[in-house]
Amino acid sequence: MAFAVAVGKSDFPSLRQEGAYYVDKTDLLYELVHEVKNEVSLFTRPRRFGKTLMMSMIDSFFNVRKDSRAIFEGLDIMKHPDFCKEWMNSRPVLFLSLKDAKGDTFDLAYDKLRNCIADFCKKIPDIADNSLNNEDDRKIFARLMSNTASDAELQGSLKTLMRMMSAVYGKKVILLIDEYDVPLAKASEKDTAENHFYNKMLDVIRGLMSLSLKDNEFLEFAVVTGCMRISKESIFTGTNNFASYSVLDEEFSEYFGFTDGEVRALLAAADRSDKEAVVREWYDGYVFGTSHVYCPWDVINYLASLRTNPNARPKTFWKDSSHNGILRTFVGRTEFKIKGKFETLMNGGTVTQTITDMLTYDTLHASEDNLWSVLLMTGYVTKSGPEDDGDTVALRIPNKEVATIFQDTVVSLFRDTIDNSKQKSMMEALWNGDEDAAGKTVSDLLWKTISYNDYHEDYYHAFLAGVFTGLGYEVESNKEKGLGRPDIILLDDDNRRAIIIEAKKSANRADMEKDCGRALEQVDMRKYAEGLYGYTQVLCYGIAFFQKEALVRKG
């Protein structure tokens, strides 16, 4: 069979039946049941790290309503024949995903939660018809399936369903809840008094969880996934034998994400081992516990793009599936002095922070430490290395993909926070030919923004173009004029005037004057002003940059 990858497919049976490449993570089943034996296991990982596919695999293996031997044939779990004989397709499974139980209002989110439970009921209608269940439970089941259950019945729905399933099959139930924190994450986004429904949604999720996980005689064990562990709200309080595994923990650390060996095998199967260095640079770099892992979503998407275009360049697939709201929040908190830390990260360095994996969605923004913790849990930063342990952790940007997200998002966000009057002062000085005032204002703006790429010339070009564009000017960057390509041409059509800028990066402060002269010579010799016909005023500037200082000279 030809090599195939399945982009975005999180249904384990269909992935296997279609013959798509599967990175074998089935040993988690044996470790989960035979080794750790938790009553409740919570796995928290960033988006797009295989949580849902893993939950579908767990459901497929244990679910008594399925016959899964064929789709597990040849996988690692089959190396444990006694375990498979005892556990494969032997237990009733209640598999519920809350990823769609979200909305901009409480009523909408609550209705979607009802739909999630109704949809599960529709998959097992025969349970309600079984005479082993009492009449009261069958009536509640009917109301759950028709979306007419009371609030109390909804919060107790999982336990009711587990009691009914256990009665029919004569065995305890395995409970799987995927993306348990999505309703809370969405509810916490609303910050106006009339729309803030976080506490109401918290009460619902707490009731749903506590009734199904705490002192439930029908529970075999439960697996729960999400982005973050919720602590202070006491969702899991009183749950016996509860264990939480975050990106900080060693246990199960290799099961979410692809290891280096798994990626090499995947690339070899695709006959694209030539892309190993590119894939590592762009999508590797995450440290979960003691394991180095790649983002599986990115690797699979890049391989898919290579199938249609063998020369496809890597891009930020993860950005399309994640929001940058936490970055916007961080940048907007002016009381946190974090600009220097962001610069350190974006230039390949590390920052050391106090980290916790026990957060609450309504207090995520309460402190700088909390925000760094969120960046870690959501995948924007990672531990510097597996040796980092404890509450104080060195953090870094994991790879080129996330660095690109920081450049595209963080730099522009910091630029947007700059006092607009400074930008206007710079423009006034440039139009008036005031070199000293322009140089001082450009330097002031540089001090207030984020620098990256070790102050390469491209950084300075992007900085200037961003400032001018933010003021509403038409900007041409590296567009052919005369005998070459000037760095920036600024056009003010209303007043029929233009500015040409050639920027140079100086090796040291002493060279800045000389580099301004070189820039102006380039503007003159390559006739950059040619082609700007009809403009009554054309000003030419050479700007030399050294770190966060600028020197402006007019030609």
Side-chain angles (χ1 to χ4, degrees):
M1 182 178 290
F3 175 85
V5 291
V7 175
K9 187 173 289 295
S10 56
D11 182 67
F12 179 78
S14 62
L15 184 148
R16 293 288 291 165
Q17 289 161 0
E18 293 171 10
Y21 192 96
Y22 173 65
V23 176
D24 195 342
K25 302 289 186 179
T26 56
D27 259 343
L28 174 137
L29 298 163
Y30 184 81
E31 187 170 342
L32 189 67
V33 175
H34 193 267
E35 300 293 338
V36 299
K37 302 179 181 178
N38 299 322
E39 185 172 5
V40 180
S41 299
L42 169 65
F43 295 103
T44 57
R45 291 294 187 275
R47 305 285 183 219
R48 300 302 188 181
F49 270 84
K51 299 188 298 293
T52 299
L53 178 60
M54 183 69 76
M55 295 288 265
S56 177
M57 184 269 290
I58 296 172
D59 174 50
S60 298
F61 183 84
F62 291 112
N63 201 324
V64 71
R65 299 171 67 88
K66 299 182 179 183
D67 182 2
S68 303
R69 179 162 291 274
I71 63 174
F72 281 93
E73 198 63 45
L75 297 180
D76 288 344
I77 193 60
M78 302 303 285
K79 298 174 184 177
H80 306 283
D82 292 340
F83 175 79
C84 291
K85 182 178 180 180
E86 178 183 359
W87 287 93
M88 182 179 283
N89 302 134
S90 66
R91 302 293 192 278
V93 177
L94 199 171
F95 180 17
L96 186 70
S97 173
L98 300 186
K99 69 180 179 65
D100 295 324
K102 58 185 179 181
D104 290 334
T105 66
F106 175 76
D107 289 342
L108 178 58
Y110 193 59
D111 283 345
K112 289 185 175 182
L113 177 61
R114 286 180 176 275
N115 289 337
C116 290
I117 295 170
D119 287 345
F120 178 79
C121 292
K122 293 170 185 176
K123 296 176 183 177
I124 56 169
D126 54 297
I127 296 294
D129 297 331
N130 196 295
S131 61
L132 293 173
N133 283 304
N134 63 60
E135 183 65 23
D136 288 339
D137 278 349
R138 291 203 294 268
K139 289 180 179 178
I140 293 174
F141 186 100
R143 289 194 288 272
L144 290 170
M145 190 161 64
S146 63
N147 278 333
T148 58
S150 68
D151 292 343
E153 288 172 340
L154 185 77
Q155 290 199 27
S157 59
L158 300 188
K159 188 169 185 178
T160 299
L161 293 172
M162 292 168 72
R163 180 170 58 246
M164 297 177 72
M165 295 168 76
S166 181
V168 172
Y169 293 105
K171 293 183 178 180
K172 293 183 178 182
V173 179
I174 295 171
L175 176 62
L176 308 177
I177 302 178
D178 193 32
E179 304 285 10
Y180 86 104
D181 56 340
V182 166
L184 296 171
K186 183 64 177 178
S188 70
E189 290 179 5
K190 296 298 180 180
D191 54 6
T192 58
E194 60 271 23
N195 285 332
H196 190 87
F197 56 92
Y198 177 78
N199 289 332
K200 293 175 68 175
M201 183 55 67
L202 176 61
D203 286 340
V204 173
I205 301 301
R206 181 194 289 125
L208 198 69
M209 290 288 188
S210 62
L211 289 172
S212 58
L213 298 178
K214 182 180 178 181
D215 300 326
N216 184 353
E217 66 270 32
F218 309 107
L219 176 67
E220 180 77 59
F221 65 83
V223 179
V224 184
T225 71
C227 270
M228 290 189 295
R229 176 180 175 181
I230 303 173
S231 59
K232 293 181 181 177
E233 296 93 337
S234 304
I235 282 181
F236 301 106
T237 296
T239 301
N240 298 323
N241 197 11
F242 171 87
S244 176
Y245 305 99
S246 75
V247 298
L248 298 173
D249 296 303
E250 178 179 355
E251 296 90 343
F252 298 97
S253 60
E254 76 276 18
Y255 287 113
F256 297 90
F258 294 165
T259 66
D260 193 57
E262 290 168 342
V263 169
R264 286 200 305 271
L266 175 56
L267 293 173
D271 196 24
R272 294 316 308 254
S273 295
D274 59 310
K275 295 296 184 180
E276 184 177 329
V278 174
V279 172
R280 180 177 294 111
E281 178 187 20
W282 273 80
Y283 308 125
D284 189 14
Y286 297 93
V287 179
F288 293 170
T290 57
S291 298
H292 291 266
V293 295
Y294 295 68
C295 177
W297 173 257
D298 296 321
V299 176
I300 294 299
N301 271 276
Y302 183 49
L303 276 178
S305 67
L306 288 173
R307 293 198 60 179
T308 56
N309 176 12
N311 298 312
R313 295 181 178 181
K315 61 181 182 179
T316 55
F317 300 106
W318 188 72
K319 179 181 180 181
D320 295 333
S321 65
S322 302
H323 61 80
N324 58 19
I326 187 63
L327 294 177
R328 291 184 173 277
T329 298
F330 224 147
V331 172
R333 296 294 293 272
T334 56
E335 71 271 31
F336 299 151
K337 304 302 180 184
I338 44 93
K339 183 170 68 69
K341 294 177 182 179
F342 272 67
E343 283 186 337
T344 297
L345 289 171
M346 293 178 65
N347 286 293
T350 64
V351 297
T352 300
Q353 296 295 141
T354 300
I355 295 297
T356 179
D357 60 355
M358 293 186 290
L359 298 160
T360 63
Y361 275 102
D362 59 342
T363 61
L364 293 184
H365 308 152
S367 71
E368 183 183 337
D369 286 342
N370 280 6
L371 286 169
W372 283 112
S373 298
V374 176
L375 288 183
L376 175 64
M377 300 303 159
T378 53
Y380 285 100
V381 296
T382 189
K383 295 196 305 179
S384 179
E387 67 280 357
D388 281 328
D389 198 8
D391 296 335
T392 303
V393 177
L395 304 173
R396 60 174 173 79
I397 293 175
N399 51 43
K400 191 168 183 177
E401 179 190 41
V402 182
T404 301
I405 294 172
F406 268 77
Q407 289 177 15
D408 292 345
T409 303
V410 176
V411 173
S412 62
L413 289 175
F414 268 97
R415 185 176 61 238
D416 292 345
T417 65
I418 295 174
D419 183 0
N420 189 252
S421 64
K422 282 281 186 184
Q423 299 173 355
K424 292 180 178 178
S425 295
M426 179 191 73
M427 287 310 309
E428 184 178 350
L430 289 173
W431 288 123
N432 291 335
D434 191 336
E435 301 171 341
D436 292 338
K440 181 181 182 306
T441 311
V442 173
S443 297
D444 289 343
L445 291 172
L446 278 170
W447 275 99
K448 292 180 180 295
T449 191
I450 286 281
S451 64
Y452 59 96
N453 286 347
D454 197 26
Y455 302 103
H456 289 178
E457 277 191 1
D458 286 347
Y459 159 68
Y460 295 115
H461 297 170
F463 162 75
L464 289 172
V467 171
F468 295 142
T469 302
L471 289 170
Y473 285 98
E474 181 182 349
V475 178
E476 295 179 358
S477 183
N478 288 313
K479 187 173 182 179
E480 186 125 12
K481 291 288 182 183
L483 302 177
R485 297 178 184 273
D487 289 331
I488 289 177
I489 295 180
L490 184 68
L491 303 176
D492 180 7
D493 289 341
D494 291 341
N495 296 295
R496 295 177 64 190
R497 57 184 182 175
I499 290 176
I500 297 174
I501 294 176
E502 185 67 26
K504 299 294 182 185
K505 175 193 172 186
S506 298
N508 53 63
R509 189 176 288 103
D511 288 344
M512 295 177 74
E513 190 73 52
K514 178 185 67 177
D515 290 335
C516 278
R518 287 197 305 115
L520 289 170
E521 287 178 11
Q522 184 173 325
V523 172
D524 185 51
M525 292 178 61
R526 298 187 180 181
K527 302 179 180 180
Y528 286 160
E530 289 191 2
L532 293 176
Y533 304 113
Y535 288 88
T536 58
Q537 182 184 23
V538 178
L539 298 168
C540 299
Y541 287 99
I543 303 182
F545 294 96
F546 175 67
Q547 295 183 359
K548 291 204 169 187
E549 293 184 40
L551 185 68
V552 178
R553 289 294 180 257
K554 178 175 173 292

